Amino acid sequence: MYRTHPSTTQSGEFSVKFLVPLLIFITLATFLGIGLTLNPRDLPSTLIGKPAPEFSLAQLYKPEETISPADLKGQRWLLNVWASWCVGCRVEHPLLNELAEKTTITLLGLNYKDDPKNAIQWLSERGNPYGLIAKDLSGDAGIDWGVYGVPETFVIDEEGNVIYKHTGPISVKALNEEILPLFDKAAQANSVSSNSAGGK
Amino acid sequence: MNNHFYRVLTSKATRIAMLCLGLVLMASNNMSFAAIEEVRFEEAALEKRYQGLIAELRCLVCQNQNLADSDASLAKDLRKKTEDMLKAGKSDQEILSYMSDRYGEFVLYRPPFSLSNALLWVGPFVLLLLAATALLLNIRKRQRNEVLKSTYAKDESKHIKVRNLLNDAPSLRSEGDEKNSSDKPNKP
């Protein structure tokens, strides 16, 4: 009597216990799978929701004049950090040209640790989408903005707060789905379609 | 045996191979030192703090290296920033918070405990605790089973006696016992 009873419970427990490693494996695989799809270079910016760091830098085309973020207060604008030595900047440049052509959004360039001669040459070859360009020769402004992977793109609102950051070349998708919706309809005109190269 | 080893060691191919290995080692050694430019501090204590800080801060370009080991241009700039701030008399804490204000906690190899990273800090200990509890419960359960078995074994002889007594009193027998009792003769 007692011999049959314990054996049935044992087989019942066994099937449940058998599932435990499988469940642990599924949980682990799910988390690792999610981890694999994340971009480790895409760090959250500490600047989001905070006032844009100030700088007062000489302009690329007019070295005797300076430009600072304070000059742009009262409007929503884009800051694009770029350099002639940066490969990713070549990828996103056609998109910025198209943005400048199709919208009225103010686009400020921050020429990061570049030789002004090379920068001007680079723009004369590829077109200049920037309204104004600040020269950050030392890279100090870059450090204040937390720049670690050029190109980087920021959106600054009317009050002078940073509301968005994109690290790396902007893609058509990021531009249309994340950046342009931050601007009002009047400035957007029509969305950037870009069959002109862009993030390929 | 010895003679053979000597011959192998002095053979041309071996010597060339060893030379190559030496060159590779030298080159890699040079490379790892090339990252660090010479930084001079008046005080040895300041130099020590500098080395400590650049070992504590992550290079954001090559994310698995610290500032001390990285040859990236940003790492160079941040080392310079650290040096300047130290020379300006800033405290270690001020320098670390200067960096994390700009680049986030990710720049620190040992981020301070906060609600957002609590799981990261506490998680391993929680897992260890869970595993230890499971192990303890398992051991207890096994021990209890062992005790039950031994008491069962002791009682079995009495059990059989009782069964035999019951067999002698047919009026008290139930159906289940009948089956068991039919097994009896086979058991020693």
Side-chain angles (χ1 to χ4, degrees):
Chain A
M1 223 192 340
Y2 63 85
R3 255 180 224 111
T4 50
H5 181 64
S7 67
T8 42
T9 45
Q10 229 168 29
S11 68
E13 265 172 45
F14 182 72
S15 59
V16 177
K17 270 185 188 162
F18 187 68
L19 284 175
V20 171
L22 186 70
L23 284 175
I24 292 174
F25 172 76
I26 289 170
T27 317
L28 207 64
T30 312
F31 275 100
L32 292 177
I34 292 168
L36 270 180
T37 59
L38 296 176
N39 178 9
R41 302 198 63 86
D42 204 10
L43 303 176
S45 174
T46 52
L47 284 176
I48 305 296
K50 292 197 182 129
E54 267 308 317
F55 57 77
S56 185
L57 294 166
Q59 295 179 19
L60 183 68
Y61 286 107
K62 292 183 200 155
E64 64 286 350
E65 282 177 42
T66 61
I67 174 80
S68 90
D71 301 339
L72 293 165
K73 228 168 197 171
Q75 57 174 313
R76 201 164 272 222
W77 54 286
L78 271 171
L79 178 80
N80 180 250
V81 185
W82 68 284
S84 66
W85 48 259
C86 141
V87 183
C89 301
R90 289 164 203 235
V91 176
E92 71 171 10
H93 203 73
L95 266 184
L96 293 178
N97 280 337
E98 202 180 348
L99 181 88
E101 207 176 285
K102 289 189 177 170
T103 70
T104 59
I105 294 169
T106 306
L107 177 62
L108 187 78
L110 182 68
N111 188 219
Y112 177 70
K113 299 196 75 177
D114 205 355
D115 181 344
K117 257 190 283 168
N118 293 345
I120 289 169
Q121 172 70 25
W122 198 84
L123 287 180
S124 69
E125 283 166 15
R126 292 177 171 77
N128 178 9
Y130 306 106
L132 286 171
I133 300 166
K135 265 194 304 186
D136 184 16
L137 295 176
S138 66
D140 280 343
I143 291 179
D144 282 341
W145 281 75
V147 170
Y148 64 90
V150 198
E152 291 190 10
T153 307
F154 298 85
V155 178
I156 297 95
D157 73 1
E158 292 79 357
E159 283 84 52
N161 293 321
V162 178
I163 53 171
Y164 174 83
K165 179 190 179 179
H166 182 92
T167 308
I170 46 173
S171 57
V172 180
K173 193 170 176 244
L175 193 61
N176 282 331
E177 292 173 15
E178 292 168 23
I179 298 174
L180 284 177
L182 294 171
F183 291 86
D184 57 34
K185 288 278 174 298
Q188 276 183 44
N190 36 35
S191 69
V192 175
S193 57
S194 200
N195 21 33
S196 62
K200 262 184 191 168
Chain B
M1 184 70 186
N2 248 347
N3 218 358
H4 174 72
F5 180 73
Y6 180 75
R7 238 179 290 139
V8 168
L9 200 70
T10 50
S11 78
K12 217 173 197 177
T14 315
R15 265 187 290 171
I16 290 171
M18 285 180 114
L19 190 70
C20 287
L21 185 72
L23 282 175
V24 166
L25 282 176
M26 269 167 70
S28 60
N29 230 3
N30 272 347
M31 270 194 284
S32 64
F33 282 117
I36 289 281
E37 54 283 306
E38 204 175 6
V39 179
R40 292 229 171 269
F41 287 95
E42 300 277 315
E43 299 163 57
L46 220 55
E47 165 92 40
K48 208 177 161 194
R49 279 174 58 204
Y50 172 75
Q51 296 299 347
L53 280 169
I54 60 174
E56 279 282 294
L57 290 165
R58 186 192 299 277
C59 168
L60 293 121
V61 182
C62 24
Q63 302 188 337
N64 284 328
Q65 274 187 313
N66 58 18
L67 289 187
D69 292 335
S70 175
D71 201 20
S73 144
L74 180 67
K76 217 173 280 177
D77 289 352
L78 292 180
R79 280 198 296 267
K80 181 89 184 90
K81 202 91 208 169
T82 310
E83 183 195 340
D84 291 347
M85 287 180 85
L86 275 173
K87 283 179 174 165
K90 302 270 191 223
S91 73
D92 287 7
Q93 201 46 56
E94 275 174 311
I95 295 168
L96 290 177
S97 55
Y98 173 92
M99 297 295 177
S100 61
D101 280 351
R102 280 155 185 76
Y103 296 101
E105 273 184 357
F106 185 68
V107 79
L108 308 171
Y109 266 112
R110 289 183 300 164
F113 185 86
S114 70
L115 212 63
S116 60
N117 62 24
L119 192 65
L120 219 54
W121 278 109
V122 183
F125 299 106
V126 171
L127 279 181
L128 188 71
L129 208 71
L130 281 177
T133 315
L135 185 70
L136 213 73
L137 285 178
N138 203 1
I139 290 173
R140 282 247 185 101
K141 198 175 151 196
R142 238 183 240 196
Q143 277 173 344
R144 213 178 305 134
N145 280 352
E146 212 90 324
V147 170
L148 272 180
K149 254 189 227 162
S150 57
T151 35
Y152 225 153
K154 260 186 232 158
D155 280 356
E156 202 157 23
S157 53
K158 284 185 192 166
H159 209 79
I160 293 166
K161 260 185 207 165
V162 172
R163 281 276 157 79
N164 289 340
L165 280 172
L166 283 172
N167 283 346
D168 293 340
S171 58
L172 285 169
R173 256 197 272 165
S174 67
E175 273 176 47
D177 285 335
E178 218 159 16
K179 264 183 212 157
N180 264 349
S181 58
S182 60
D183 286 342
K184 265 293 120 56
N186 298 338
K187 263 189 115 187

